[in-house]
Amino acid sequence: MRAPHLFLITASLALATGAGNANCPCLTSYGTTLPTDSNGRLIVMDTHRYEPTYGLSTCSAHDSGLAPYCNDANVTRRPAWCADNWCYVDPSNCVLPTSETSYFPNAGLYYSYTTCGDANTFDQWFGNNSVSGAHSLTDIIGVVTNYLRSMVNTLEDNHAELSAATPGTCEIHNSCPCVGCQVEPVWSMPPPNPSNNSITFAHTTLTQRVAADQTGSAGRMDRCLSRAVDTAFMRIASKEADVNRVGYEYYGSQQLGNYMQWPGIDWCPATYDPRYRNWYTGGVSGPKDLVIVIDVSGSMTGPREALARSAAQRVVDTLTEADYATIVTFSSGASSYSSRLVQATSSTRTSMNSWITSNVGASGSTNYRAAFTKVWDILGASTGASQTSGCNRLVLFLSDGQPNEWVDSDYSDVQSEATRLGNVHIMTYALGTGADSDKLKQLACENSGIFHAVPDNGNLADTMATYYSLLSSLLRPCRVRWTEYNDWFTGLPLLSACLAAYEKSNSAAATSCNGGLDGLGDHDDTSGTVPKLIGVACMDLSLIVSQATIMAHPQWPTFWSEVQSQMASCPRTVLQFEQLQNLRRQVSSASVCDAPAVSPPPSPPLPPYPP
């Protein structure tokens, strides 16, 4: 199969006409038989119907008004490419960038925006031929947002349709091995740690986790969803990408941790799991205050000490620049990485992980009281110093033993302090058979948290790092989250925008970005329903414009200020008792709390944090 061409055009080319550029004319027929219904309309992605002349003969916005991407009643929410001109072309008779369509798999059909004169959004708006003042730099944020919302809408719709029947064995573009991938120097890591990445711009690849069962319904679901993801990614890449500029589109699935990426890559990782990368957790959980509390008493000697160290570092690696965090260790007393929460920048995360390596040991007794005193001191000092995300607060409390000098009044003291500080949720983890599960469970149940029992041979790191399952339900959906990260493949610093996708209640329900989850978590909600995550979709800003170029733009400070505002956005909700119970049931029956003797009244509307 011929690979599509996405490259910079340096030759002087004839101007586009109604039938395309003279060096890349529009096709007048498909040259192959495409699936049609009894009325002669094209069958697209199994469920949609298009006119039989779709994409042929002339440059036009052929997708305008068509499902699944371009039919939003609000035109401003449609992806940018919906209004752009394109047509199908013959790549062997075209010297311009072309991409293979995924609407008609294996049909060998290619399309081009460039032949119709449509260029990358940044170049159109801010290039040499743009109209001065027609757009502000922050308009690029709207373009990215619409792309992500269209991806999520399509993922949610397709997931609902596939859930109504048994997903088939959809064909995929596998990353291991990748068919058609070849080494691309620009996308490889330079010295001193060189790597040659073999990639393809022809399609998205699906990386299936080796540790997961890919033959069941969840695996089949991800395989079939990869078609929708591939279509969305290729459309955006064809409009925006420049292969001389490193930038990715990617998606991680929640149930199995499968990973989809454009450009496709030849990649067979043994341990990579997107669910524990900070772009994923940030897209799900939003900004947060997080205190990791680790028992380092004598009973932690041996394998448990290593498990605790690995788990704490796994949690730290999920943090983003929008988060504020610290680590507390306790045995006979308590100590901490810092006296206040600190912003979780890349350098801070590295420093935290070094501190964990040096300070998570094993000696002494198990003083819960000292640990919580340290937590309250840190949260109190952070609030007064504005060292806080201003959003949800979470305490992750791990212990393997029995607490010393712990009485019933200590529970009420913890509740009182959590209430005083505001919006503190306590997640507890009982490691091994010697842990006091009853006390740890009571702490979680009384403080809007979830208890986890983790055996000595259990995966403590993954269990603690999935704290975001609670936070995901504490924020309203459809909020784009930005994350700075270092590319796994090239080591380059990149800025990514991410958006979470959630299951619809049924195929006819609205998507999360169209009000489908409105009302969940309101103070008078009695449904007990909690949003169920499908996965997180992302795209790098550098897909549209390099960071060097945009940072050199005079409007960069305003642009960056808006990005930071979106990073810090906190559209909080509350969870009623039955909603928390449903989250606990998803962990284990042992995590379900006893119902209160008297049903609690509905939670009031959310107050702000104490000053």
Side-chain angles (χ1 to χ4, degrees):
M1 182 174 65
R2 186 186 294 107
H5 312 287
L6 287 170
F7 50 81
L8 287 178
I9 303 302
T10 56
S12 175
L13 299 173
L15 294 176
T17 67
N21 191 286
N23 294 287
C24 187
C26 298
L27 291 179
T28 57
S29 66
Y30 297 118
T32 186
T33 301
L34 300 180
T36 58
D37 64 13
S38 58
N39 295 317
R41 290 165 62 86
L42 298 172
I43 300 174
V44 179
M45 297 174 71
D46 300 328
T47 59
H48 308 295
R49 300 295 184 268
Y50 291 0
E51 292 300 321
T53 57
Y54 173 75
L56 293 178
S57 300
T58 62
C59 288
S60 176
H62 293 285
D63 294 293
S64 181
L66 296 181
Y69 300 103
C70 303
N71 60 331
D72 194 309
N74 186 334
V75 176
T76 63
R77 290 200 300 248
R78 298 175 186 174
W81 51 261
C82 289
D84 288 337
N85 295 323
W86 65 276
C87 65
Y88 287 121
V89 298
D90 178 359
S92 66
N93 188 32
C94 179
V95 297
L96 296 171
T98 67
S99 298
E100 186 174 14
T101 181
S102 55
Y103 277 3
F104 307 106
N106 304 315
L109 274 176
Y110 291 78
Y111 61 93
S112 174
Y113 288 99
T114 311
T115 192
C116 296
D118 273 315
N120 164 281
T121 298
F122 187 85
D123 292 339
Q124 281 182 317
W125 290 357
F126 303 102
N128 293 333
N129 297 320
S130 63
V131 178
S132 178
H135 288 278
S136 66
L137 200 61
T138 54
D139 290 343
I140 295 293
I141 295 174
V143 173
V144 172
T145 297
N146 285 349
Y147 280 145
L148 289 171
R149 285 178 174 172
S150 71
M151 289 184 209
V152 164
N153 287 340
T154 304
L155 278 165
E156 293 177 355
D157 284 337
N158 276 264
H159 186 276
E161 291 170 5
L162 291 166
S163 297
T166 302
T169 54
C170 298
E171 294 183 6
I172 62 168
H173 298 294
N174 209 324
S175 73
C176 185
C178 169
V179 176
C181 282
Q182 59 186 359
V183 173
E184 296 286 347
V186 173
W187 297 73
S188 297
M189 186 174 288
N193 300 303
S195 66
N196 291 322
N197 289 322
S198 184
I199 65 175
T200 175
F201 303 112
H203 51 249
T204 297
T205 51
L206 173 62
T207 303
Q208 301 176 97
R209 286 191 68 236
V210 176
D213 177 12
Q214 302 291 342
T215 62
S217 59
R220 295 196 301 273
M221 174 69 78
D222 279 353
R223 292 173 69 92
C224 291
L225 283 180
S226 72
R227 294 190 305 170
V229 172
D230 186 32
T231 297
F233 284 2
M234 285 306 301
R235 284 286 194 172
I236 297 167
S238 298
K239 162 72 175 173
E240 305 289 0
D242 179 341
V243 301
N244 292 301
R245 185 175 63 234
V246 174
Y248 303 95
E249 301 167 272
Y250 44 104
Y251 168 79
S253 73
Q254 174 62 19
Q255 192 162 354
L256 294 184
N258 288 326
Y259 175 77
M260 305 167 203
Q261 177 192 290
W262 182 92
I265 190 165
D266 191 275
W267 192 39
C268 305
T271 60
Y272 183 84
D273 190 331
R275 294 171 295 182
Y276 308 111
R277 299 289 289 176
N278 64 353
W279 56 264
Y280 190 100
T281 56
V284 171
S285 63
K288 53 196 167 288
D289 292 351
L290 187 67
V291 184
I292 308 166
V293 185
I294 303 295
D295 183 348
V296 292
S297 61
S299 58
M300 291 287 289
T301 300
R304 292 181 182 177
E305 177 186 333
L307 284 174
R309 188 180 297 117
S310 174
Q313 291 173 334
R314 174 67 68 88
V315 172
V316 167
D317 288 342
T318 68
L319 300 176
T320 75
E321 297 78 5
D323 303 326
Y324 286 78
T326 196
I327 310 107
V328 170
T329 56
F330 73 96
S331 54
S332 303
S335 59
S336 61
Y337 169 80
S338 56
S339 59
R340 295 190 304 225
L341 299 175
V342 292
Q343 187 178 10
T345 61
S346 177
S347 59
T348 298
R349 296 194 297 269
T350 299
S351 174
M352 285 180 171
N353 281 330
S354 296
W355 189 90
I356 290 167
T357 299
S358 302
N359 290 274
V360 174
S363 65
S365 59
T366 309
N367 191 336
Y368 281 15
R369 195 177 297 147
F372 277 110
T373 297
K374 179 67 72 174
V375 169
W376 308 139
D377 287 347
I378 290 170
L379 291 179
S382 302
T383 302
S386 298
Q387 288 290 110
T388 171
S389 68
C391 200
N392 292 304
R393 289 171 164 164
L394 204 60
V395 176
L396 309 184
F397 192 97
L398 167 69
S399 179
D400 77 330
Q402 305 285 329
N404 305 106
E405 301 179 12
W406 186 261
V407 296
D408 285 346
S409 61
D410 288 310
Y411 293 113
S412 59
D413 288 344
V414 169
Q415 279 188 297
S416 176
E417 285 298 294
T419 300
R420 180 183 67 84
L421 288 162
N423 193 35
V424 176
H425 301 261
I426 299 178
M427 308 276 277
T428 57
Y429 305 85
L431 177 59
T433 56
D436 195 329
S437 294
D438 290 341
K439 290 183 175 62
L440 290 169
K441 182 175 180 178
Q442 185 171 345
L443 282 166
C445 289
E446 292 181 350
N447 294 279
S448 302
I450 302 174
F451 163 76
H452 302 74
V454 185
D456 276 313
N457 61 350
N459 192 333
L460 177 65
D462 285 0
T463 300
M464 291 187 70
T466 52
Y467 65 84
Y468 59 76
S469 62
L470 172 60
L471 294 181
S472 175
S473 299
L474 289 167
L475 292 174
R476 295 192 180 278
C478 202
R479 298 300 194 277
V480 171
R481 303 293 179 185
W482 296 82
T483 303
E484 293 179 287
Y485 76 104
N486 289 323
D487 175 27
W488 177 276
F489 304 108
T490 66
L492 293 173
L494 297 173
L495 177 63
S496 176
C498 297
L499 188 61
Y502 294 90
E503 290 189 14
K504 300 202 305 181
S505 57
N506 58 72
S507 59
T511 62
S512 61
C513 281
N514 288 319
L517 297 177
D518 281 357
L520 293 185
D522 285 345
H523 70 278
D524 56 354
D525 175 35
T526 59
S527 68
T529 305
V530 289
K532 190 171 182 180
L533 186 67
I534 297 173
V536 177
C538 303
M539 65 175 288
D540 293 332
L541 178 65
S542 55
L543 203 75
I544 298 176
V545 54
S546 73
Q547 286 188 233
T549 298
I550 199 169
M551 290 177 70
H553 194 280
Q555 295 178 24
W556 166 254
T558 303
F559 178 93
W560 182 239
S561 177
E562 178 59 26
V563 166
Q564 289 181 306
S565 176
Q566 292 192 8
M567 285 180 174
S569 173
C570 181
R572 287 197 292 147
T573 67
V574 296
L575 288 178
Q576 307 303 326
F577 177 77
E578 190 54 38
Q579 290 176 301
L580 271 170
Q581 290 286 70
N582 280 336
L583 288 175
R584 292 161 179 156
R585 290 186 188 100
Q586 292 173 21
V587 174
S588 166
S589 59
S591 299
V592 177
C593 301
D594 294 333
V598 178
S599 297
S603 299
L606 285 167
Y609 277 176

